[in-house]
Amino acid sequence: MAGPLEGYRVVELGEGVAAPYCTLELGDAGADVIKIEPLQGDSARGWGPPQEGGTSSVFLRLNRNKRSIALDLNSDEGISVARRLLAWADVAVVDLNRLPDPSLRYEQAGQANPQLVYCAISGFGERGPWADRPAGELPVQLMAEGTASLGRIGDPPVRAGTDIASMYAAIYSVQGICAALLARDRAGGQRLDVSLFGSLLAMRSTLWVALSNPDEWWGFHLDSYVKPPDHGYPCRDGRIFMNLASMDKSKFDSLIAALKMEWAREDSQFPLLSLDSTGAGRYAHTVHHIWDRALEQFTVEEATEIVESHGGLVFPMNDYRMIENNEQVRHVGMIQPVEQPGAGAIKELIPPWDFADTPCEIRLPAPRLGEHTAQILGEMSYSRPDIERLTSAGRAAVFA
Amino acid sequence: MGGPLEGVRVFDLTLAMVGPYATAQLGALGADVLHVEAPEETGVRRTTVPPSIKGTSIGYINWNMNKRSVFLDLKDDADRQTAYRLLETCDVFVENMRPGVAGRLALDYETVAKINPRIIYVSSSGWGDKGPMVSVPATDGIVQVFGGWSSITGPEGGPPEIYRHSTQNDSNTSNYIVQAVLLALLARDKTGRGQKITLSMLSAVIALQSSRLAEFFATGKTPSPVGSANATVVPDQAFLCQDKAWVAVSVDDERQWAPFCRVLHLDNLIEDPSFRSNANRVANRDELVPLLEDAFASKPRYHWVMELNEAGVPAGKFMEWDEIRFHPQVTQNDHVIQVPTREWGTVYWGGPPYHFSRSATHVFAAPVPGEHTDEVLSGFRNAEPEPASASGDGS
């Protein structure tokens, strides 16, 4: 068996990040993923620069292991093909806020195909006053108070640098779809709803428990609201994360000497230094300026050696080049070159799970727009004349 | 209708957040999750990671919902035999200890699979199970900075910034664990057999950054923080409004550009060759953004949020906890729910993020540690000789 989802057919009707990353994972797990695109293509194709081979690099990394069928979703015939695709699929993943036609909703798709698992991704949730509100990553990050974990009140908001709301929605969708497939023998097909807003709120759940009448209003989680921005500690040639919680207290004075920071004893905050004063510790922000000034004198390598020899922990704050060249990352595996038509060999990330018996692989590069239209129509038993008629009339399209 | 994982039993040998939060989600899906821990394990249960509610760390409460708790001392021979008998009835085994520890407890995959070849065995670690960092501690904060997530986050121009709610990489890893379990259960439907799946916090944080790593792979240039903005889409950032409040706006779809311009009364920009397509706007952002900033500064935030959303352009503002937890969008969709607990009062919890039209999800309070030991193990322990009766009841 190739991947765990070998033999399952998935149809995607979505754009951007959330629905595409969901079906990318299903494709990585071995499913046959068919991406329905409008004639102008997934809007993500136009993101960037950078682009590779004329298509956005981001699009390429969110759409491997899929085939593409391009349809005129403003026409009855194009919609009719889309309906037949849903009738033919085991799983549908749709952007609920951008469905091109009501006949593609679950009410009809589920009637035509009672075994269909229909995953609807929305911005804010399928019920309530915002059921139709347009979805966007940054608005959701603010509305789920995600930006409270970054920046400072009164300053411009800072966003999480990767699309967490969209990615979390995609990842949860994969879970929900697999669960529904497991239930299918007993329950038949069904609909499941996932939203960007709900997903980010779920991921911040630890805070909701922390806000439910804690014994004291401080601590690792609640402090995230009141602490200033943390940029790690600056060394001469890079930044580090440092945590001294595991250091034996008896080594403290030796550490102060080794870091040539006897001057710090004059600082009124010095007594806090030997307490929970590093990383996310209780007093870390109060004494940050002291550690900053001390560590600035050393290179990352020197600081690491000194702190680790005293029993503390140091990690470099890596950028992407450092990660790619890192020995541990090479052991775990990260990159696989994939032949991308028009762009040559491009670097892709390997799937994050390692299944011993049903391995997950990158089998297909991201598709060109409409690349597989004729092939898919043929598999659906459209006749040659019908395929010719659809493509020549522009209801379906194969773009060279 | 029960949950999708009704009838699935999980031997949950997990600790801290990564493992337990994954199995809590399996519990919400209807699995019978048995959280196995040593009787003297204090760790996250106690006040080591504040805050706490009635003395129990909120982390423990959050991450151990929807399961039963069983005390077993796996270093004790009799308890280990009991565990083996319990494993015969289980479908899933999850552990997130340091590589090698499961083996020293004689609960490595080979041993477990011999007892029960149908078991899905998921092993999660910080850095993977081989390589120079195998024995190095991994926490959310560490993985965040080592895995590059901080390098792309922060104010415009840097420096890199740490996401202060330091649980996202733990829970992100949990989510990939849940996926692995569900996928393996589907594979088992076809093959009749279980298998081992491994993953790590390192792989999970890298996967989460797929779209940003794309930029690096294409150009060889390391991306840096851009505040609220987006390196590959313009405009997609926060703007300051007339009332000194921020609005987040996202034009990530070409179809939104014209409506966006009309709402801002900047119709002349719609067909401007410098801004007509996203590629143009990215190339000319230094020219475009100041024009937009001026426009946004001319009206208060509510105007922009309402008008843009009506025009189909995503726009939103920061919401605080009190706005969130009472908002009908949140309550009607159960995005945040209230869970009654015996020990800690009613707690808010992020509700299961998927709503099924037919299957149920099942959320219930975290157990008191060891609470279900007798209930679960009574059929699995060796029969012990009855002690001589001390009660004088004649038996």
Side-chain angles (χ1 to χ4, degrees):
Chain A
M1 202 176 163
L5 291 183
E6 189 188 61
Y8 286 97
R9 184 177 300 124
V10 175
V11 170
E12 175 202 315
L13 188 52
E15 304 186 32
V17 177
Y21 185 68
C22 168
T23 63
L24 174 145
E25 290 210 85
L26 300 175
D28 281 0
D32 171 25
V33 178
I34 293 167
K35 184 180 172 85
I36 301 175
E37 297 191 66
L39 293 180
Q40 70 270 26
D42 181 330
S43 54
R45 287 182 180 274
W47 288 354
Q51 305 218 319
E52 288 156 286
T55 307
S56 144
S57 302
V58 174
F59 176 87
L60 295 179
R61 299 329 181 293
L62 293 174
N63 289 280
R64 85 280 185 109
N65 277 340
K66 308 183 194 180
R67 297 189 286 164
S68 168
I69 178 169
L71 297 173
D72 178 4
L73 297 172
N74 291 317
S75 73
D76 288 340
E77 282 211 276
I79 295 294
S80 157
V81 176
R83 267 205 305 278
R84 272 181 66 169
L85 279 160
L86 294 186
W88 190 50
D90 294 292
V91 176
V93 181
V94 309
D95 274 343
L96 192 65
N97 299 128
R98 277 207 279 223
L99 269 190
D101 190 88
S103 69
L104 298 172
R105 301 184 91 85
Y106 179 64
E107 287 69 27
Q108 281 180 261
Q111 279 226 327
N113 182 356
Q115 290 293 98
L116 179 66
V117 170
Y118 183 106
C119 177
I121 301 178
S122 64
F124 297 92
E126 71 280 13
R127 284 168 239 152
W130 293 343
D132 297 323
R133 183 171 177 159
E137 172 71 31
L138 182 65
V140 170
Q141 280 196 25
L142 265 74
M143 292 166 73
E145 58 108 81
T147 48
S149 299
L150 293 164
R152 206 185 299 254
I153 298 172
D155 283 358
V158 175
R159 79 197 277 168
T162 193
D163 290 339
I164 52 176
S166 309
M167 294 292 281
Y168 294 158
I171 291 166
Y172 282 134
S173 295
V174 171
Q175 293 180 12
I177 287 163
C178 290
L181 285 173
L182 284 165
R184 199 161 67 153
D185 283 345
R186 262 178 288 127
Q190 63 183 308
R191 169 179 171 163
L192 63 131
D193 285 276
V194 179
S195 70
L196 272 66
F197 186 53
S199 298
L200 186 48
L201 287 171
M203 285 292 277
R204 292 175 69 77
S205 178
T206 312
L207 288 165
W208 315 148
V209 183
L211 289 162
S212 303
N213 198 22
D215 296 334
E216 282 182 299
W217 279 87
W218 69 274
F220 180 79
H221 302 284
L222 293 177
D223 282 358
S224 69
Y225 286 112
V226 301
K227 283 187 172 172
D230 185 357
H231 305 290
Y233 302 99
C235 294
R236 284 216 322 266
D237 58 348
R239 289 186 171 260
I240 60 171
F241 173 99
M242 176 176 74
N243 193 319
L244 298 178
S246 53
M247 179 179 77
D248 201 276
K249 289 281 149 68
S250 62
K251 300 245 168 88
F252 179 75
D253 287 330
S254 165
L255 179 68
I256 298 298
L259 286 175
K260 301 195 187 4
M261 53 187 294
E262 298 293 345
W263 49 264
R265 294 182 190 276
E266 305 306 311
D267 193 305
S268 58
Q269 309 285 18
F270 182 79
L272 294 176
L273 227 58
S274 57
L275 304 177
D276 192 11
S277 74
T278 56
R282 186 174 191 179
Y283 306 110
H285 60 294
T286 315
V287 298
H288 222 288
H289 65 287
I290 301 180
W291 291 121
D292 284 355
R293 188 177 148 190
L295 289 162
E296 258 165 11
Q297 310 305 313
F298 300 95
T299 63
V300 170
E301 199 179 331
E302 289 163 350
T304 304
E305 208 277 307
I306 293 171
V307 174
E308 286 188 344
S309 65
H310 285 78
L313 286 177
V314 174
F315 292 87
M317 292 182 76
N318 285 330
D319 64 28
Y320 284 175
R321 183 169 302 114
M322 292 156 82
I323 294 168
E324 190 182 13
N325 293 324
N326 181 271
E327 198 188 337
Q328 187 62 30
V329 172
R330 280 205 304 278
H331 275 279
V332 150
M334 176 180 169
I335 291 170
Q336 181 182 326
V338 173
E339 193 60 38
Q340 188 73 42
I346 67 168
K347 293 175 182 169
E348 291 256 11
L349 291 177
I350 63 174
W353 352 259
D354 187 357
F355 286 79
D357 299 340
T358 58
C360 302
E361 282 159 3
I362 302 176
R363 295 164 283 116
L364 296 172
R368 288 190 302 280
L369 173 59
E371 183 179 343
H372 307 95
T373 299
Q375 181 186 75
I376 292 166
L377 291 172
E379 285 171 20
M380 290 166 72
S381 306
Y382 279 90
S383 66
R384 281 257 113 235
D386 274 342
I387 296 174
E388 303 263 332
R389 188 180 47 75
L390 284 168
T391 48
S392 62
R395 300 297 164 245
V398 184
F399 295 98
Chain B
M1 180 70 55
L5 295 187
E6 201 181 334
V8 171
R9 176 174 271 191
V10 180
F11 191 108
D12 172 8
L13 190 63
T14 64
L15 38 90
M17 180 174 184
V18 172
Y21 191 59
T23 53
Q25 294 179 71
L26 298 174
L29 287 167
D32 175 23
V33 179
L34 305 175
H35 190 227
V36 174
E37 45 183 332
E40 74 281 359
E41 218 295 297
T42 49
V44 182
R45 279 196 253 137
R46 303 298 174 222
T47 58
T48 50
V49 184
S52 56
I53 303 178
K54 303 255 184 7
T56 300
S57 157
I58 59 96
Y60 173 81
I61 299 169
N62 185 54
W63 309 328
N64 291 285
M65 295 279 194
N66 321 321
K67 39 179 106 159
R68 295 192 282 172
S69 175
V70 175
F71 279 157
L72 275 173
D73 179 2
L74 296 169
K75 299 198 179 101
D76 171 85
D77 282 337
D79 271 7
R80 193 177 320 113
Q81 293 305 319
T82 303
Y84 288 161
R85 276 191 289 278
L86 185 55
L87 279 167
E88 286 169 10
T89 69
C90 294
D91 300 278
V92 179
F93 179 97
V94 183
E95 66 92 9
N96 69 314
M97 300 176 291
R98 297 249 185 103
V101 174
R104 288 197 289 282
L105 293 173
L107 283 169
D108 52 293
Y109 176 63
E110 287 65 35
T111 308
V112 171
K114 245 194 223 102
I115 294 166
N116 185 345
R118 284 175 57 80
I119 270 205
I120 277 106
Y121 187 109
V122 181
S123 194
S124 170
S125 62
W127 310 107
D129 53 17
K130 53 187 193 294
M133 288 176 67
V134 151
S135 308
V136 171
T139 63
D140 185 290
I142 292 170
V143 169
Q144 210 190 122
V145 305
F146 191 92
W149 202 35
S150 332
S151 74
I152 50 163
T153 298
E156 171 98 42
E161 187 170 337
I162 291 169
Y163 195 89
R164 293 192 294 274
H165 180 221
S166 202
T167 55
Q168 299 296 291
N169 291 290
D170 284 329
S171 46
N172 182 50
T173 313
S174 308
N175 290 340
Y176 284 117
I177 291 174
V178 175
Q179 291 182 348
V181 170
L182 299 175
L183 287 166
L185 284 169
L186 284 166
R188 189 177 78 169
D189 278 353
K190 298 215 166 122
T191 66
R193 286 190 316 276
Q195 66 181 305
K196 181 176 181 184
I197 308 106
T198 54
L199 56 127
S200 64
M201 293 182 74
L202 181 58
S203 297
V205 71
I206 287 170
L208 188 64
Q209 297 174 83
S210 293
S211 62
R212 301 309 308 279
L213 283 159
E215 294 165 47
F216 170 64
F217 290 154
T219 63
K221 291 213 291 270
T222 57
S224 16
V226 280
S228 69
N230 184 328
T232 59
V233 175
V234 173
D236 180 4
Q237 65 177 84
F239 292 97
L240 191 60
C241 307
Q242 188 186 34
D243 49 352
K244 302 293 180 243
W246 294 90
V247 65
V249 181
S250 195
V251 177
D252 62 6
D253 184 330
E254 265 334 323
R255 290 167 287 199
Q256 294 159 348
W257 172 239
F260 171 79
C261 290
R262 286 191 206 105
V263 168
L264 264 62
H265 299 302
L266 292 174
D267 299 48
N268 55 304
L269 297 185
I270 296 173
E271 290 300 330
D272 188 322
S274 300
F275 311 126
R276 186 161 51 207
S277 72
N278 183 62
N280 300 141
R281 296 193 289 274
V282 170
N284 299 313
R285 67 161 76 207
D286 291 342
E287 206 188 313
L288 176 61
V289 169
L291 298 175
L292 304 180
E293 285 171 341
D294 282 345
F296 277 102
S298 70
K299 293 246 173 33
R301 176 171 58 191
Y302 281 116
H303 169 85
W304 298 121
V305 172
M306 277 172 49
E307 296 285 321
L308 287 167
N309 277 294
E310 258 175 47
V313 179
K317 72 169 191 76
F318 181 81
M319 286 169 60
E320 289 188 5
W321 172 232
D322 268 357
E323 290 177 80
I324 289 170
R325 66 188 170 125
F326 298 122
H327 198 285
Q329 191 65 20
V330 172
T331 55
Q332 288 183 38
N333 288 285
D334 289 331
H335 291 327
V336 178
I337 60 177
Q338 294 187 57
V339 183
T341 76
R342 228 175 38 229
E343 311 293 318
W344 311 294
T346 297
V347 300
Y348 282 93
W349 200 60
Y354 17 72
H355 309 134
F356 299 99
S357 61
R358 305 183 85 167
S359 301
T361 49
H362 191 204
V363 174
F364 53 95
V368 169
E371 186 180 339
H372 305 97
T373 305
D374 288 339
E375 170 184 312
V376 172
L377 295 185
S378 59
F380 296 95
R381 287 191 180 114
N382 264 331
E384 280 158 7
E386 289 284 313
S389 171
S391 59
D393 63 359
S395 59

Coordinates of all heavy atoms in Angstrom, one line a residue, chain B residues 26 49 55 77 79 100 119 124 139 160-161 238-239 287 307 348:
Chain B
L26 N -8.4 13.0 20.5 CA -8.9 11.7 20.1 C -10.1 11.3 21.1 O -11.1 10.8 20.6 CB -7.9 10.6 20.3 CG -6.6 10.7 19.4 CD1 -5.6 9.7 19.7 CD2 -7.1 10.6 17.9
V49 N 3.9 24.8 36.3 CA 3.7 25.7 35.3 C 2.4 26.5 35.6 O 1.3 26.1 35.3 CB 3.5 25.1 33.9 CG1 3.4 26.1 32.8 CG2 4.7 24.2 33.6
G55 N -4.9 24.6 42.8 CA -3.6 23.8 43.0 C -3.2 23.0 41.8 O -2.1 22.5 41.8
D77 N 7.3 -4.9 37.7 CA 7.0 -6.0 36.8 C 5.5 -6.3 36.8 O 4.9 -6.6 35.7 CB 7.7 -7.3 37.3 CG 9.2 -7.2 36.9 OD1 9.5 -6.5 35.9 OD2 10.0 -7.9 37.5
D79 N 2.9 -4.4 37.4 CA 2.2 -3.4 36.7 C 2.4 -3.4 35.2 O 1.5 -3.2 34.4 CB 2.5 -2.0 37.2 CG 1.6 -1.6 38.4 OD1 0.8 -2.4 38.9 OD2 1.7 -0.4 38.8
G100 N 14.2 6.4 23.2 CA 14.9 5.4 24.0 C 14.2 5.0 25.3 O 14.3 3.9 25.8
I119 N -2.1 -2.7 16.7 CA -2.0 -1.4 17.4 C -1.3 -0.4 16.5 O -0.3 -0.6 15.8 CB -1.1 -1.5 18.7 CG1 -2.1 -1.8 19.8 CG2 -0.3 -0.3 19.0 CD1 -1.6 -1.4 21.2
S124 N 6.3 10.5 19.3 CA 6.6 11.9 19.0 C 7.8 12.3 19.8 O 7.8 12.0 21.0 CB 5.4 12.7 19.2 OG 5.8 14.1 19.1
T139 N 11.3 22.4 24.2 CA 10.1 23.0 24.6 C 9.5 23.8 23.5 O 10.2 24.1 22.5 CB 10.3 23.9 25.9 OG1 11.2 25.0 25.5 CG2 11.0 23.1 27.0
P160 N 13.8 39.6 15.1 CA 12.9 38.4 15.3 C 12.2 38.5 16.6 O 12.8 39.0 17.6 CB 13.8 37.2 15.1 CG 15.1 37.7 15.5 CD 15.2 39.1 15.0
E161 N 11.0 38.0 16.7 CA 10.2 38.1 17.9 C 9.6 36.7 18.3 O 9.2 36.0 17.4 CB 9.1 39.1 17.7 CG 8.4 39.4 19.0 CD 7.4 40.6 18.9 OE1 7.7 41.5 18.1 OE2 6.5 40.6 19.7
A238 N -2.1 45.8 8.7 CA -3.0 46.7 9.5 C -2.8 48.1 9.1 O -1.6 48.5 8.8 CB -2.6 46.5 11.0
F239 N -3.8 48.9 9.2 CA -3.8 50.3 8.9 C -4.3 51.1 10.1 O -5.3 50.6 10.8 CB -4.6 50.7 7.7 CG -4.1 50.2 6.4 CD1 -4.5 49.0 5.9 CD2 -3.1 50.9 5.7 CE1 -4.0 48.5 4.7 CE2 -2.5 50.4 4.5 CZ -3.0 49.2 4.0
E287 N 5.2 52.7 -3.0 CA 4.5 53.8 -3.5 C 3.0 53.8 -3.1 O 2.3 54.8 -2.8 CB 4.5 53.7 -5.1 CG 4.4 55.0 -5.8 CD 4.3 54.7 -7.3 OE1 5.1 53.9 -7.8 OE2 3.4 55.3 -7.9
E307 N -17.7 48.8 5.8 CA -17.8 49.0 4.4 C -17.0 48.0 3.6 O -17.4 47.5 2.6 CB -17.2 50.4 4.0 CG -18.0 51.6 4.6 CD -19.3 51.8 3.9 OE1 -19.3 51.7 2.6 OE2 -20.4 52.0 4.5
Y348 N -13.5 27.4 30.7 CA -13.7 27.6 29.3 C -12.6 26.8 28.5 O -11.5 26.6 29.0 CB -13.4 29.1 28.9 CG -14.5 30.0 29.3 CD1 -14.6 30.7 30.5 CD2 -15.5 30.2 28.3 CE1 -15.6 31.5 30.8 CE2 -16.6 31.1 28.6 CZ -16.6 31.7 29.9 OH -17.7 32.5 30.2

